[in-house]
Amino acid sequence: MNTTTGSYPIDVLGLIITILLVAVAAGMSYAMRLGVHRQMLWATLRSLIQLLAMGYILKFVIEQNNPWLVFALIAVMILAAVQITMSRAANIPRSVMPSVLLTLTASVILQVCVVTELIIRPHPWYAPTVLATLSGMLLGNVVSAVAVAMSRFFADMEARRYEVEMLLSLGATPFEAAKPSIVSSVRLGMIPTISQLASSGIVLIPGMMAGQVIAGADPLTAAKYQFVVLAVISALTLMADSLIMVLIYRTSFTAVHQFITTSAH
């Protein structure tokens, strides 16, 4: 233990105990026939491997302190986020992938320009400890919100098929016909993000703040960082949800404003 900073590094024994705790929980799932033990064990193993791999990658990028490496890492993260978004969203056409890429890229660029350069102002400006970690946190939230919003949009449009066709026949534009689905999709995608923002503090100490405090950071400084991250992520997630809806709603219509069913995509 580092008694100077008050940090408490986790050793191999700590990781083993953590995995054993998950194994016990999975055993309970198996005994109670809950059916989630395999998914839980696989997700835990996958998480451990991915996080340790990212830890080594971040350590290398930080030590090199090269802006090209930082942006190369962020680019890889964005491409991986696109793939994850497409796999999480149910019953969506593959043609929306470029729109997802554009949305995620725009979100990261806004995060870099606003959060990194205007709020935190690190030195150097491309500090890997700030750019890479914040980009990862942002993408994690945006991926979930965008995937939920897209799934809801196409499902809702299919459920409103006759209503949409009637609106089009009465002279409504594709956007006017799709607007109720767009609104409900954005709202659904934002529910977890807004809930986390509203409950943070007394009810919930978020992961970033808790990690900083455990690592020895000043609690007030950690609270300020956590607020900035949560507030900016909420704003950028709403922007991302809105942007992806604007980009993809046209895929539900032909060039002559006819509705395309999900099965026809």
Side-chain angles (χ1 to χ4, degrees), residues 84-253:
I84 294 172
T85 304
M86 296 298 296
S87 63
R88 286 186 181 180
N91 300 319
I92 64 171
R94 301 295 295 179
S95 60
V96 303
M97 184 178 290
S99 298
V100 174
L101 175 60
L102 177 60
T103 300
L104 297 183
T105 303
S107 300
V108 171
I109 291 175
L110 276 173
Q111 173 254 308
V112 171
C113 294
V114 177
V115 185
T116 306
E117 303 308 324
L118 296 181
I119 300 176
I120 299 178
R121 301 184 294 275
H123 300 285
W125 66 270
Y126 57 83
T129 52
V130 178
L131 257 67
T133 53
L134 288 182
S135 296
M137 294 180 68
L138 171 68
L139 286 171
N141 284 269
V142 172
V143 160
S144 299
V146 168
V148 169
M150 288 196 300
S151 298
R152 173 60 177 266
F153 174 75
F154 286 106
D156 196 58
M157 287 292 287
E158 187 67 22
R160 296 178 54 240
R161 173 181 179 180
Y162 298 112
E163 176 189 346
V164 170
E165 291 177 341
M166 180 189 68
L167 289 172
L168 292 173
S169 67
L170 293 175
T173 65
F175 179 78
E176 290 171 337
K179 187 177 179 180
S181 298
I182 292 175
V183 172
S184 65
S185 300
V186 172
R187 285 178 177 174
L188 182 64
M190 287 300 299
I191 287 176
T193 302
I194 294 177
S195 298
Q196 184 182 29
L197 179 63
S199 62
S200 296
I202 301 300
V203 177
L204 168 68
I205 298 180
M208 181 180 179
M209 180 178 176
Q212 284 187 310
V213 173
I214 292 174
D218 174 59
L220 185 57
T221 300
K224 292 177 181 178
Y225 268 97
Q226 186 65 76
F227 167 74
V228 168
V229 169
L230 287 177
V232 172
I233 283 179
S234 297
L236 292 181
T237 300
L238 177 56
M239 293 179 188
D241 270 356
S242 302
L243 177 59
I244 194 65
M245 288 295 105
V246 171
L247 292 174
I248 71 171
Y249 85 89
R250 295 181 184 276
T251 62
S252 293
F253 303 92

Side-chain angles (χ1 to χ4, degrees), residues 10-29 37 40-42 44-45 48:
I10 297 177
D11 54 15
V12 176
L13 178 61
L15 294 177
I16 293 175
I17 293 175
T18 302
I19 295 174
L20 288 176
L21 180 62
V22 174
V24 170
M28 293 177 61
S29 170
H37 54 283
M40 188 174 186
L41 289 173
W42 169 244
T44 300
L45 179 61
L48 176 61

